Amino acid sequence: MSDAPDSITIRRPDDWHVHLRDGAMLQAVAQITARQFARAIVMPNLTPPVTTAAMAEEYRERILSALDFGTHFTPLMTAYLTDSTDPDDLAAGHASGALTAAKLYPANATTNSAHGVTDVAKLAPVLERMQDIGMVLCVHGEVTDAEIDIFDREAVFIDRHLSRIVKDFPELKVVFEHVTTEDAVQFVESAGENVGATITPQHLHINRNAMLVGGIRPHAYCLPVAKREQHRLALRKAATSGSAKFFLGTDSAPHAREAKESACGCAGIFNAPFALESYLQVFAEEDALEQFEGFASLHGPAFYGLPVNEGTITLEQVDHRVPDTFEAGGTELVPFHAGETLHWRLAE
Ligand code: DOR
Ligand code: ZN
């Protein structure tokens, strides 16, 4: 990496998958994402979930109110699909701009997903409508069946559900969110142009050893859970390949420190503070700096049918230590890479 340039300038990037939460946590994290990204696809798994266009409009207002005066950041809102989602409400929300996408969580797959879809087959009228209007379906691709090993849940979801959805709705735009396996990479690569995927920074950096070797490390735990090294390598290859099917989605998912460091710790990694730095390090390690702008700033807008952002950002090659914690409404958040040295830094 000695011949790498000491700075890189790219068009302003977007985060195609983020959890901004609500209330005091939203106040603490919204600006952190807005500092790095121009737009973000905001996940709807609040309590209660954001299930309608009207709820999404209200949530968008709360996000905008949480930002510092003068911040240019556009939250792109999503609706949480349930067994009783009204296709007309989704379509009206999409037409008005209230909703950019809808999110499919299989019931109980992850944090606040108890209201998720219990039977994907029942969603047919909703998916049909989304296909007709060109609305993106974001998918948390894990089965929830108790008998399926947690490390196999993504691969089994492809076989049981995703391959069927893509076959039955061949024009539907589907984002396979936060892919974690070689199986998912292969599925996305062999599907049509209407199927893409987001990749998180953590799944490019860590495999399951990071969670379990030398002690149990709750801050490396997220869902889908990090897999074997073979899968991490497949993800790094996909992200840095230049394929327009793969784009940046942090899945930054803040949980209070005490909720993570617990006998039953929550799933989620708070990577928002240095997400770009974290991704860029991977592209530098893979000798693929020239592919970074596509992944971070071009492939996502192309997939969503949105314009690319105006303006640029610059990252400089400078070592800096990631803080151990961030203050958040009376509690602490432990960021991804806490205490580690990153080699790139977003210029102010
Ligand atoms: O680790 C995760 N955390 N995965 C998800 O899918 C949800 C997220 C959260 O909301 O905390
Ligand atoms: Zn997520």
Side-chain angles (χ1 to χ4, degrees), residues 17-19 43 45 103 105 110 140 177-178 223 251-253:
H17 183 131
V18 71
H19 299 267
M43 289 296 130
N45 62 332
K103 177 75 186 264
Y105 285 105
T110 185
H140 183 112
E177 299 290 344
H178 42 55
L223 288 172
D251 198 16
S252 182

Side-chain angles (χ1 to χ4, degrees), residues 241-253:
S241 67
S243 163
K245 286 174 157 281
F246 298 99
F247 39 92
L248 188 161
T250 64
D251 198 16
S252 182

Side-chain angles (χ1 to χ4, degrees), residues 111-143:
T111 309
N112 293 339
S113 60
H115 304 273
V117 173
T118 57
D119 180 0
V120 179
K122 287 195 202 138
L123 266 188
V126 169
L127 301 184
E128 184 88 53
R129 189 65 167 274
M130 290 176 67
Q131 173 173 255
D132 287 349
I133 63 177
M135 185 174 187
V136 170
L137 175 72
C138 301
V139 179
H140 183 112
E142 286 189 291
V143 294

Side-chain angles (χ1 to χ4, degrees), residues 18 29 32-33 35-37 250 252 269-277:
V18 71
V29 304
I32 293 174
T33 285
R35 186 179 150 265
Q36 295 230 323
F37 299 107
T250 64
S252 182
I269 294 182
F270 177 55
N271 59 31
F274 301 103
L276 288 169
E277 291 87 339

Side-chain angles (χ1 to χ4, degrees), residues 297-308:
S297 313
L298 307 179
H299 302 165
F303 188 90
Y304 274 83
L306 293 169
V308 296

